[in-house]
Amino acid sequence: MAVLDRTQTPTTARPHPGPAVRPEGARPGGPKRAGTGLGLAVVATLVWSGSFVAVRALHDSVPPVQQAFWRWVIALLAVAPFTAREAWRQRALVRRHLGYVLLAALLGVTVYNTLVNEAGRTTSAGNMGMIMAASPVLMAVCERLGGSRLGARRVTGLLVACAGVLLLVSGGPAGSTGFGAGDLWMIAAAVCFGSYSALLRRRPAELAGPAFLFTTFALGTALLLPAYAVSLAAEGPFTPSAATLGPLLYLGVASSALAFFAWNRAIALIGPARAGAVYHLQPVCVAALSYLVLGERTTWTQALCTALILGGVVLGAAPAGRRDLPRAR
């Protein structure tokens, strides 16, 4: 989707041979593109796994909306040196596709992270990671509704990975606090993220990645301003300290600027279904971080779930075959 690689920008000026939904196997360099896309999806997943720990660390010191607002202010400052010029150059294209860009900003920037922050008030980082692992199912469903044929092997991989996630939830991870209000907020966040990821596949081909990234960050932050003002009036501002600035910098630079670049580019290279299969690694990564940071031990149930999730990822991320191609339009 969005991409900070300047070497990709010139291609936007040449005639595009087809719709934005073309899979990686449909043009030369497919295996290399697939490998790069999978690697970027892994990077985004690893970084986002740490974000749940950071959000949980801020749950009692920074209100959710204020946390989201400053996260995106930091992210916007981080990407501006690499993307602002391209966004200005393509301002006419941004205006032409403003409805699409606004929807992407609302789902991926304004709403999703605010929901995650609200969930962090009352549920554990482990629960947050496990629930978010269900979002690839929504990505695959949206892609299928968009006309893409996922293929039996990919569908099987998604089902196996989902089975691992469901078993993990039913078995109860170490430190789980049960199903509560925070988990409901996370379910809403998963729906939002799945819809955003499916929307990325529809980005207009002529709209360059850097311009899209900067514009969605800027618009998403602007859309947060009214809620931010209400939060200041109702809850008061938070007090900056080392305990709050560190997690906010991680969320803004790593989880927003770096991870969104990696995820958007992965979607552009391999599509939401295959990137979503990699996303199933998130509960495994969160469990590992919980052990390293919080000292929680992995149970045999979690080990079995890990095997299922990894097996599903391998199947779901398999190279696209003839049956996986989008329907002709």
Side-chain angles (χ1 to χ4, degrees):
M1 184 48 219
V3 52
L4 295 179
D5 186 356
R6 292 298 231 176
T7 62
Q8 300 294 323
T9 301
T11 64
T12 61
R14 294 199 292 267
H16 200 280
V21 296
R22 177 180 47 249
E24 70 283 353
R27 59 181 172 183
K32 182 177 180 180
R33 287 168 58 85
T36 301
L38 291 173
L40 289 171
V42 169
V43 169
T45 299
L46 290 173
V47 174
W48 276 330
S49 297
S51 72
F52 293 120
V53 177
V55 166
R56 186 62 179 162
L58 294 171
H59 79 279
D60 59 353
S61 57
V62 183
V65 173
Q66 295 181 42
Q67 186 182 146
F69 177 78
W70 286 109
R71 167 183 183 157
W72 290 107
V73 167
I74 295 170
L76 190 60
L77 293 174
V79 302
F82 311 100
T83 59
R85 182 177 297 180
E86 184 66 21
W88 176 254
R89 190 181 71 82
Q90 291 205 320
R91 61 190 183 278
L93 281 172
V94 171
R95 286 196 298 269
R96 185 185 310 169
H97 301 290
L98 186 59
Y100 171 86
V101 176
L102 272 172
L103 181 59
L106 180 68
L107 290 175
V109 175
T110 306
V111 178
Y112 165 65
N113 287 281
T114 304
L115 292 174
V116 171
N117 298 343
E118 183 64 40
R121 281 182 156 182
T122 53
T123 194
S124 66
N127 278 13
M128 293 164 71
M130 286 184 293
I131 293 171
M132 275 305 298
S135 61
V137 178
L138 299 169
M139 299 176 207
V141 169
C142 290
E143 190 174 12
R144 181 67 182 88
L145 292 175
S148 295
R149 297 178 179 177
L150 303 180
R153 183 173 181 178
R154 192 169 300 171
V155 170
T156 301
L158 288 170
L159 291 175
V160 170
C162 282
V165 173
L166 290 174
L167 181 60
L168 193 61
V169 173
S170 63
S176 175
T177 57
F179 198 83
D183 301 301
L184 295 176
W185 286 112
M186 278 307 303
I187 290 174
V191 172
C192 187
F193 183 76
S195 302
Y196 167 77
S197 295
L199 185 66
L200 291 180
R201 197 60 165 162
R202 300 292 177 176
R203 177 177 64 89
E206 67 272 20
L207 183 60
F212 176 81
L213 193 73
F214 180 85
T215 306
T216 51
F217 280 19
L219 289 175
T221 305
L223 290 171
L224 277 167
L225 276 172
Y228 178 72
V230 171
S231 177
L232 286 178
E235 303 173 281
F238 71 94
T239 302
S241 66
T244 58
L245 292 180
L248 281 174
L249 285 173
Y250 179 87
L251 291 171
V253 177
S255 293
S256 299
L258 172 62
F260 267 74
F261 153 64
W263 184 254
N264 291 357
R265 183 58 178 156
I267 294 289
L269 291 173
I270 61 176
R274 293 176 67 190
V278 176
Y279 196 76
H280 276 297
L281 288 170
Q282 184 161 264
V284 180
C285 297
V286 173
L289 286 173
S290 298
Y291 173 75
L292 293 174
V293 177
L294 305 175
E296 297 177 351
R297 295 186 177 276
T298 302
T299 65
W300 70 268
T301 303
Q302 289 175 299
L304 175 60
C305 296
T306 299
L308 286 173
I309 293 170
L310 289 174
V313 167
V314 172
L315 286 173
R322 184 180 301 272
R323 294 179 179 272
D324 297 321
L325 303 183
R327 294 173 179 173
R329 298 188 176 186

